Amino acid sequence: MSAVLTDIRAATAGSATAPRHFLNIRDLDATTLRQILDVAAGVKAMQQGRRRPLHPAAPLAGRTLGILLSKPSTRTRVSFEVGVRQLGGDAVILTSAETQLGRGESVADTARVLSRFVDALVLRTGRTAALEDLAKWSSVPVINGLTPDSHPVQILADIMTFEEHRGPIGGRTVAWIGDGNNVASSLIEAAARFGFRLRLATPPSLAPSERVVAWARAEGADITLTDDPREAVAGADCVVTDTWVSMSDEDAAERIILLEPYRVDTALMARAAPDALFMHCLPAHIGEEVTAEVFESRASVVFDEAENRLHAQKGLLIWALCGDAWQTYGQEGER
């Protein structure tokens, strides 16, 4: 559990109104994470007409989600904005240029002000400390939309996507190829919570966080680290990669040279299981981390992943905002 959540829970001990923050995968137990995905699947099924809509009263009617973006965004912004509106609520989008955060107001003051206006906050930021400060001072739920250290909402969508195509992920093998970045860190935490084997192939200088790996192993996760992508993908049920150069990376040319051996191509995918899936959180740079042949292949479920950002995050918003009865949304039977 993160230090900031420990502080928050200690400060609010005995309170029935402590906000349900979602900062990292590791901060929730396996049962709660599974229930969030179950709710997400149920709500998705109802939206797509596969079930009778059992709850005509929209669960987030009258609620407003504040979406704070310090970095440009397509999937995070649109999926949260559309998701909260599909649940009956509303959203307000704020960039750094449009708030006093960009003019020196503290995160603590911003959190306390926005908590009076909105019912929950999503933050996509280039500073992990900003997320932790927002959660520390906010009296409404705070959701991590992305930090340099983690991207947990993406991983919820990835788990949901895998299970839609291949059934329960527990006991299966996932291979991560490329940079041991923020998405890899959240995938490592998910391996501990969802019980799948995870092999990560990265250059030694871009290995995943030692702290995150140590935590996952202490939780019983089966984590293998290697610098050989062929070893990592052998027999894997899913192969995952990400862009080699992020917006904050200044050493683009050097990173591309370093990561050349980690490109996911048809030869590499052929070493995975015959029905292996290919995943990528997008945006993709075709010809760098993945070839066009793999990206456009039948194994690729990248656009299902993108869609499931919407649905997984709706499950997350219901968990954060709907109180003790949140698990019943999307289920058969009356609430």
Side-chain angles (χ1 to χ4, degrees):
M1 182 180 296
S2 64
V4 65
L5 278 186
T6 301
D7 293 343
I8 292 165
R9 291 178 182 180
T12 57
S15 171
T17 60
R20 291 176 173 173
H21 298 313
F22 181 68
L23 306 190
N24 287 293
I25 296 286
R26 66 179 179 269
D27 294 326
L28 301 187
D29 59 42
T31 298
T32 302
L33 290 166
R34 172 54 60 196
Q35 289 172 332
I36 287 171
L37 291 185
D38 288 345
V39 168
V43 173
K44 179 179 180 179
M46 289 194 302
Q47 177 189 332
Q48 296 182 344
R50 297 196 301 271
R51 289 188 194 166
R52 180 170 59 89
L54 301 177
H55 310 303
L60 298 189
R63 304 292 190 95
T64 299
L65 177 67
I67 303 173
L68 301 170
L69 304 171
S70 68
K71 305 180 74 173
S73 170
T74 299
R75 278 151 293 276
T76 298
R77 173 177 176 163
V78 176
S79 58
F80 271 112
E81 186 173 3
V82 172
V84 71
R85 287 178 174 158
Q86 287 182 348
L87 294 173
D90 205 350
V92 57
I93 311 296
L94 298 168
T95 68
S96 296
E98 297 168 323
T99 69
Q100 294 299 325
L101 276 173
R103 300 185 180 185
E105 183 172 33
S106 70
V107 174
D109 288 355
T110 298
R112 287 179 284 187
V113 169
L114 292 181
S115 294
R116 306 295 181 99
F117 297 153
V118 302
D119 299 283
L121 290 162
V122 174
L123 178 63
R124 178 180 172 92
T125 179
R127 294 193 310 113
T128 300
L131 176 74
E132 295 175 344
D133 284 346
L134 192 70
K136 180 176 181 180
W137 292 102
S138 175
S139 59
V140 300
V142 170
I143 295 171
N144 177 0
L146 176 144
T147 74
D149 293 332
S150 62
H151 198 2
V153 290
Q154 177 63 52
I155 299 306
L156 288 182
D158 291 357
I159 301 296
M160 185 174 182
T161 303
F162 182 94
E163 296 193 335
E164 285 179 344
H165 286 271
R166 297 290 183 264
I169 198 169
R172 307 300 286 271
T173 300
V174 177
W176 173 273
I177 310 299
D179 180 13
N181 62 12
N182 54 349
V183 183
S185 288
S186 290
L187 190 62
I188 291 167
E189 293 182 358
R193 290 294 187 247
F194 289 94
F196 57 88
R197 291 179 294 275
L198 179 59
R199 305 178 192 145
L200 300 103
T202 71
S205 61
L206 297 177
S209 164
E210 293 180 359
R211 174 184 56 80
V212 174
V213 172
W215 173 86
R217 284 174 169 165
E219 292 288 314
D222 184 347
I223 306 290
T224 299
L225 304 180
T226 179
D227 61 0
D228 183 354
R230 290 166 57 86
E231 176 186 346
V233 303
D237 300 293
C238 184
V239 177
V240 191
T241 192
D242 194 6
T243 181
W244 291 345
V245 181
S246 298
M247 288 180 287
S248 59
D249 295 327
E250 299 177 355
D251 54 345
E254 293 85 351
R255 290 172 68 87
I256 290 172
I257 292 171
L258 183 63
L259 286 160
E260 283 279 349
Y262 296 84
R263 179 176 296 111
V264 180
D265 57 18
T266 53
L268 192 64
M269 284 296 296
R271 294 183 61 82
D275 63 345
L277 300 176
F278 171 75
M279 291 191 180
H280 190 307
C281 68
L282 304 179
H285 294 80
I286 305 302
E288 290 185 8
E289 69 271 10
V290 61
T291 63
E293 291 79 9
V294 172
F295 188 81
E296 300 293 350
S297 71
R298 293 181 63 183
S300 177
V301 292
V302 298
F303 297 108
D304 292 344
E305 282 180 87
E307 178 188 344
N308 280 336
R309 285 288 303 276
L310 171 68
H311 305 299
Q313 289 163 189
K314 285 192 288 188
L316 187 59
L317 289 170
I318 288 170
W319 164 77
L321 290 170
C322 289
D324 292 340
W326 70 272
Q327 301 99 323
T328 65
Y329 285 98
Q331 294 182 4
E332 300 288 354
E334 293 298 333
R335 180 166 58 90

